[in-house]
Amino acid sequence: MNAVGVWGTGRYVPSRVRGNAEVAAAVGVTAEWIVERTGVRRRHVAAGEQAASDLAAEAVRRALASAGVTAAQLGLLVCATSTPDELGPATACRVQALVGAGNAVALDVSAACSGWLFGAKVAHDWLREEDGPMLAVVVGVEAYSKFLDPADRGTAVLFADGAAATVLGPVEPPGGLGGFRLGSDGTLADRVLIPAGGSRRPASRETLAEGAHRIRMDGRTVSRFIRDAFPRMLHETLERHGLAVGDIDHVITHQPNPVLLRRLAAEAGLADRMTVVGDLVGNIGAASAPYALATAHAEGLLQPGDLILLTVFGAGMTWGSALLRWSEPPGGTDHERHERKEALS
């Protein structure tokens, strides 16, 4: 049974940029205040006609180009999002149609900012159970701007729109994904949520009037949760696999707040090995971790044999970790490999 690893990555953010000066004016702070407390300098905003599936489809196309494969070769398409096109059907089905992945089973995973790694676990196990070779793509996407209160300082300065995708397929050991550990604590489910629009509080004049279709977040609780979750997942992963901090070549994590991330990385002795992208794209939820992975890939930071620690945490509350031993995808000429790398830029 082959290991399952990364064949290609892709990332996409909309063209419109919302800078700190624009955001600061609406929430009553300065642009400098935002940078000092969050590290976010800019965020991308989807156009009015762009839905989550449109962003996701572009990231999937770029990941397929990176891997040197076609949409028709996909057997599974998993979309992780908390801002779906509609309550139903699955946004993955919209993405499937947009990219022409007619042979793929398409499904959504809803685990907020942890969604991409939860989806990667689904795809990993799915591929390992298949009788023959098969490829999967896991895409994280959020269109948070559609659900933001521009006057809410706790959310408007952080959340943004974007997508990132990862093509997964068989690789030769010791490459590939492993060591998954996922968790949830539903007693904290009300700390980050969109209160209305679901079956508990369907849309009504009242929910619209009270702004209950906007993201609400208890920032202090979320910050404490992250400060606990990251070092705990790091310690547990190292102990479980008999590793030391020095054995980790790269850290790819969710990007809720670059200032907090850099502090946690420094405390863990990993400051020079964590890829931080949140300063340029903000918190893009389920797309954050795969966007960081795609960025590290595009910048040539990942070499065959490198050991990557993946960590995520999000609403629910949810969290997860895994290890990824980076490897070159099998097959392909040097020219084809060059074409894949060019597609990342």
Side-chain angles (χ1 to χ4, degrees):
M1 184 179 294
N2 280 325
V4 174
V6 174
W7 280 39
T9 63
R11 54 191 171 152
Y12 174 75
V13 287
S15 58
R16 186 193 164 196
V17 174
R18 181 178 290 160
N20 281 345
E22 179 184 349
V23 174
V27 301
V29 299
T30 65
E32 293 74 22
W33 184 95
I34 295 175
V35 173
E36 290 171 3
R37 285 164 175 77
T38 72
V40 178
R41 297 180 178 275
R42 53 187 283 175
R43 52 206 64 69
H44 292 256
V45 181
E49 70 278 6
Q50 280 184 310
S53 62
D54 298 306
L55 310 185
E58 186 57 38
V60 168
R61 292 185 189 104
R62 296 181 182 194
L64 291 170
S66 164
V69 300
T70 67
Q73 292 174 264
L74 295 174
L76 177 67
L77 191 159
V78 181
C79 180
T81 187
S82 53
T83 54
D85 285 22
E86 305 99 0
L87 288 178
T91 298
C93 292
R94 298 291 195 188
V95 179
Q96 178 197 33
L98 287 170
V99 302
N103 297 317
V105 176
L107 58 93
D108 280 1
V109 168
S110 180
C113 301
S114 302
W116 170 77
L117 190 62
F118 279 48
K121 171 63 170 168
V122 171
H124 172 272
D125 292 358
W126 190 302
L127 292 175
R128 286 175 64 86
E129 287 298 318
E130 286 297 307
D131 292 333
M134 191 176 83
L135 297 176
V137 66
V138 183
V139 58
V141 60
E142 304 293 357
Y144 280 139
S145 66
K146 314 281 187 177
F147 303 93
L148 284 177
D149 176 355
D152 179 14
R153 186 175 67 187
T155 57
V157 303
L158 293 170
F159 292 102
D161 303 342
T166 311
V167 175
L168 302 180
V171 297
E172 290 296 323
L177 287 156
F180 286 94
R181 279 295 178 93
L182 310 177
S184 308
D185 181 0
T187 65
L188 299 174
D190 61 347
R191 301 306 195 270
V192 189
L193 79 167
I194 300 174
S199 61
R200 183 173 299 280
R201 297 190 65 193
S204 66
R205 289 188 179 90
E206 290 74 19
T207 62
L208 290 171
E210 67 181 73
H213 300 268
R214 307 293 188 181
I215 299 171
R216 296 182 182 175
M217 181 172 70
D218 177 348
R220 290 185 179 180
T221 297
V222 171
S223 180
R224 287 196 299 269
F225 169 70
I226 294 169
R227 290 198 304 268
D228 169 73
F230 179 79
R232 174 170 48 81
M233 287 189 290
L234 171 63
H235 173 75
E236 290 176 354
T237 300
L238 295 178
E239 184 176 54
R240 192 164 62 249
H241 296 279
L243 299 170
V245 169
D247 295 319
I248 303 297
D249 297 299
H250 305 280
V251 179
I252 298 296
T253 187
H254 172 49
Q255 310 273 318
N257 179 313
V259 168
L260 177 57
L261 280 186
R262 289 190 170 99
R263 184 184 308 137
L264 292 172
E267 291 171 355
L270 292 165
D272 60 336
R273 285 168 277 173
M274 179 182 286
T275 297
V276 179
V277 296
D279 47 357
L280 297 181
V281 299
N283 182 344
I284 50 176
S288 290
Y291 196 97
L293 181 65
T295 298
H297 187 194
E299 293 178 355
L301 301 179
L302 308 179
Q303 301 301 318
D306 282 357
L307 185 60
I308 303 167
L309 172 66
L310 306 170
T311 63
V312 293
F313 24 82
M317 295 290 196
T318 58
W319 62 90
S321 62
L323 291 171
L324 170 62
R325 182 72 70 176
W326 192 257
S327 58
E328 288 286 356
T333 65
D334 289 342
H335 175 71
E336 288 169 336
R337 291 183 186 277
H338 177 72
E339 290 285 312
R340 283 197 292 267
K341 291 180 180 178
E342 286 294 307
L344 288 165
S345 58

